[in-house]
Amino acid sequence: MDTNRITSRNKKILVGALAAAALGAGTFGAVSATAAPAKTGAAADPAPRDLTTSTHLTVDAAMKAADAALDAARQDNQRVSVAVVDRNGNTVVTLRGDGAGPQSYESAGRKAYTAVSWNAPTSVLAGRLAQAPNLKDIPGTLFLAGGAPVQAKGAPIAGIGVAGAPSGDLDEKYAKAGVAALTK
């Protein structure tokens, strides 16, 4: 009997068995992922007093705000990037305008994150650096004018950041145009 032939046959069987096991595991994972939710009131449900609800912009609203900010910049012949982040600082949408500088993309996101984190325009926050210079060391933040918070009932629900214009005042003007578009 040829041992190479037996080894080859054993390898085929092993590979087939592994493939079947992987397929079975994948099927099980898909079934588990689509399992029915637990019944209301089940022991695993937290008490209502332990839950909170937060308000977030829809993707459509974020696009509306970003488009408005980008349009405001275009009217002034400025080439900018615009970012909209949710209450948790996660990016919802980022638009890099035609001709915007490479640094503007990341800067817009960081300005939006900073604005929503402190619920204040970044121009105001930049002024606070004199009293607390270590603020600039917080990861993901950028204390330059150009970020504006979006509020609902006084609480921050999103941030809009604009970067790329020759001044932070212009960047912030465009960010505020994005905020204003959400109130129409």
Side-chain angles (χ1 to χ4, degrees), residues 47-150:
R49 70 180 175 279
D50 294 330
L51 302 175
T52 185
T53 302
S54 60
T55 304
H56 295 267
L57 288 181
T58 63
V59 171
D60 289 340
M63 281 297 299
K64 179 180 178 180
D67 281 336
L70 195 57
D71 286 343
R74 281 187 194 130
Q75 289 175 5
D76 288 347
N77 294 317
Q78 297 300 318
R79 297 177 174 133
V80 300
S81 291
V82 180
V84 180
V85 301
D86 67 12
R87 172 61 188 110
N88 300 320
N90 299 311
T91 303
V92 179
V93 65
T94 303
L95 300 176
R96 184 177 177 275
D98 295 335
Q103 80 292 351
S104 66
Y105 189 87
E106 182 179 344
S107 296
R110 291 175 61 193
K111 288 179 182 184
Y113 177 84
T114 304
V116 74
S117 294
W118 277 273
N119 194 24
T122 53
S123 61
V124 171
L125 298 171
R128 295 182 189 169
L129 286 179
Q131 292 83 28
N134 291 343
L135 281 177
K136 69 180 178 346
D137 298 332
I138 297 173
T141 59
L142 186 58
F143 291 89
L144 297 175
V150 178

